[in-house]
Amino acid sequence: MSFPESNDQPQDNTNHELAAQKEQILKQILVPEARMRLNNIKMVKPELADLVEQYLIGMATQGKIPGQITDDQLKQILLSTQQPKREFKFNRV
């Protein structure tokens, strides 16, 4: 029994188109250094990169990004999205 393979193709095309649109928007709003940083982060922490990408695309579609985001601005966004790390001190008696 063979299964029709055409059922998966429209979904794949839609996902591919969405990914292409996302990349196009990010190209427009990020300077090359910031894009490289975001791509590096995507390799190590994909969920953090996705969160930042969604934030940037949301801001861009609302018109809240006046120009391109520099690497330093991206660093600030990354710092603001990360959860603060807790420090524990042990006092020896």
Side-chain angles (χ1 to χ4, degrees):
M1 181 181 266
S2 65
F3 295 102
E5 294 179 14
S6 62
N7 286 348
D8 292 338
Q9 191 146 2
Q11 186 68 26
D12 288 344
N13 283 344
T14 304
N15 288 342
H16 183 69
E17 287 174 19
L18 289 175
Q21 286 177 347
K22 189 162 101 170
E23 284 301 314
Q24 188 63 33
I25 292 171
L26 291 173
K27 275 184 187 178
Q28 291 174 358
I29 62 175
L30 294 174
V31 296
E33 295 83 13
R35 282 187 51 231
M36 282 177 41
R37 181 177 301 279
L38 193 56
N39 286 335
N40 289 341
I41 290 168
K42 192 181 288 190
M43 287 187 247
V44 180
K45 293 184 176 181
E47 39 315 301
L48 176 62
D50 286 339
L51 180 71
V52 171
E53 285 176 354
Q54 292 301 321
Y55 172 75
L56 291 172
I57 290 170
M59 294 291 283
T61 55
Q62 293 174 13
K64 294 185 178 178
I65 298 177
Q68 284 194 315
I69 292 179
T70 64
D71 192 40
D72 288 335
Q73 290 170 319
L74 181 63
K75 286 180 191 177
Q76 291 301 317
I77 292 169
L78 288 166
L79 287 173
S80 68
T81 58
Q82 289 181 322
Q83 296 295 326
K85 294 184 179 182
R86 297 181 183 188
E87 287 187 28
F88 295 97
K89 290 186 178 181
F90 294 98
N91 293 328
R92 296 185 185 248
V93 180

